[in-house]
Amino acid sequence: MNTQSSSKTWIWIVVIIAVAGGGYFWWSGSASSSAGSLQVSGTDATGVLGSQVLGLLNQVRSLQIDTKLFTDKAYLSLHDFSITIPPQNIGRANPFAPFAGDPNLLQKK
């Protein structure tokens, strides 16, 4: 029984060291590598973003919309079947307030 508890102790020590070492490498390694890859100088970042915006603007300007659809017979034959909903009565100001003559309220008093 003494050897079994001794081996469990060593296993726990190894697990704790492994978790601590993994955590150290996880947080120290990821912070330095990701920070270096995300840093861009101010003029380069502005130039990259500006060129992306100009590229998207050129794509939007080059769009061609075919308006022949709106003069087609099939489009013109469509009918609007929407139903107008009449205005509804508004309920009480506080829907959770008890009613004035509620018999349940009289029993609680």
Side-chain angles (χ1 to χ4, degrees):
M1 190 147 127
N2 192 9
T3 59
Q4 192 176 27
S5 65
S6 174
S7 64
K8 284 184 181 180
T9 304
W10 282 108
I11 290 173
W12 278 109
I13 290 172
V14 169
V15 167
I16 290 171
I17 291 172
V19 168
Y24 173 76
F25 286 115
W26 175 264
W27 279 290
S28 67
S30 66
S32 63
S33 64
S34 65
S37 65
L38 292 178
Q39 292 178 350
V40 179
S41 67
T43 56
D44 292 340
T46 306
V48 170
L49 291 176
S51 65
Q52 289 177 351
V53 170
L54 287 176
L56 289 173
L57 183 61
N58 287 334
Q59 285 180 350
V60 170
R61 285 184 181 167
S62 67
L63 289 177
Q64 298 294 325
I65 298 174
D66 187 16
T67 57
K68 293 178 187 176
L69 169 75
F70 302 113
T71 58
D72 190 31
K73 286 183 181 180
Y75 179 79
L76 294 173
S77 68
L78 294 175
H79 297 287
D80 183 15
F81 292 107
S82 61
I83 300 172
T84 57
I85 300 173
Q88 300 291 321
N89 293 333
I90 298 175
R92 301 187 317 156
N94 183 0
F96 300 108
F99 290 106
D102 192 4
N104 293 329
L105 292 176
L106 299 175
Q107 293 173 1
K108 291 181 183 178
K109 289 183 179 180

